[in-house]
Amino acid sequence: MAAVTMRLPAVRAPLDSSAPRGGEKHLVAPGDTITTDTGYMRGHGTFVEDDKLIASVAGVVERVNKLVCVRALKARYNGEIGDIVVGRITEVQQKRWKVETNSRLDSVLLLSSINLPGGELRRKSAEDELAMRDYLQEGDLISAEVQSIFSDGAVSLHTRSLKYGKLAQGVLVQVSPSLVKRQKTHFHDLPCGASVILGNNGFIWIYPTPEQKDDEAGGYTTNLEPVPLSDREVISRLRNCIMA
């Protein structure tokens, strides 16, 4: 008979939650003291009380030289130039589309900021303006890149590359924008047979990996062929992994 080793319970040393990690705290809750140094400047998500810099939101402490701010873990998307986003068309207006990108204001996709079907390069005419709904209509999902930021904080998008454009078949997963880090590429073909687009705005698009890239359509073709069961299972498992 195998011997069984038993030991008496011991009192664990308490873990000091206020102990700094690497000299300063990185993850804070509302009311936590970030620093007592008076040489820092107060940024977003912080306030000063009794010569102490205190967090007003739960999030990650970010420092730029002497400026200290707290980036909230759950917040709307704040666009930066060069970000890759996944959005949904909500309205067709004159020479522009309104796009829902999980930000405070609807983003704008100008008619002059898209590729024409077929990749034709020319100035947009009145006929193109009349055919805007043929290109993109309400409810369509697109992938785009942030081109500029308006003075009111709204985001201006563009799809001038053939890797951007209309999204056909797949699953949209919405997560917090703080979970998606800015990387060199946000388009990934996974070895399991599916591809993902990691939008900086927290929208993740999972779709079956296309067998061949159809660049002649300029990003407006929609493949409506039935998706095999095996691909749907892979996409469902990826979606469940992301949600978990």
Side-chain angles (χ1 to χ4, degrees), residues 82-192:
D83 283 354
I84 307 300
V85 299
V86 175
R88 186 182 298 277
I89 303 293
T90 59
E91 190 177 350
V92 181
Q93 297 182 343
Q94 184 178 11
K95 294 185 179 180
R96 67 182 63 195
W97 291 269
K98 288 283 188 173
V99 187
E100 163 60 27
T101 55
N102 198 26
S103 56
R104 291 181 292 106
L105 299 171
D106 280 343
S107 302
V108 175
L109 176 63
L110 298 175
L111 179 61
S112 58
S113 300
I114 68 169
N115 273 336
L116 291 173
E120 185 179 359
L121 297 176
R122 59 174 174 80
R123 296 191 62 175
K124 310 301 188 294
S125 61
E127 288 77 11
D128 296 321
E129 186 176 348
L130 293 174
M132 284 177 58
R133 204 177 295 274
D134 295 335
Y135 305 151
L136 296 169
Q137 58 183 343
E138 292 88 345
D140 286 346
L141 283 166
I142 62 168
S143 61
E145 182 178 337
V146 176
Q147 184 178 28
S148 60
I149 311 294
F150 292 117
S151 58
D152 60 353
V155 174
S156 178
L157 307 174
H158 81 88
T159 60
R160 288 205 189 96
S161 174
L162 292 178
K163 64 181 179 179
Y164 308 132
K166 194 173 180 180
L167 301 177
Q169 291 182 329
V171 172
L172 180 68
V173 183
Q174 183 175 354
V175 300
S176 175
S178 61
L179 297 177
V180 182
K181 306 301 180 185
R182 291 177 172 87
Q183 302 289 339
K184 186 175 181 180
T185 177
H186 287 258
F187 295 80
H188 300 279
D189 293 336
L190 303 180
C192 58

Side-chain angles (χ1 to χ4, degrees), residues 24-36:
E24 297 287 352
K25 295 184 66 175
H26 294 290
L27 190 64
V28 293
D32 285 352
T33 300
I34 301 174
T35 181
T36 57

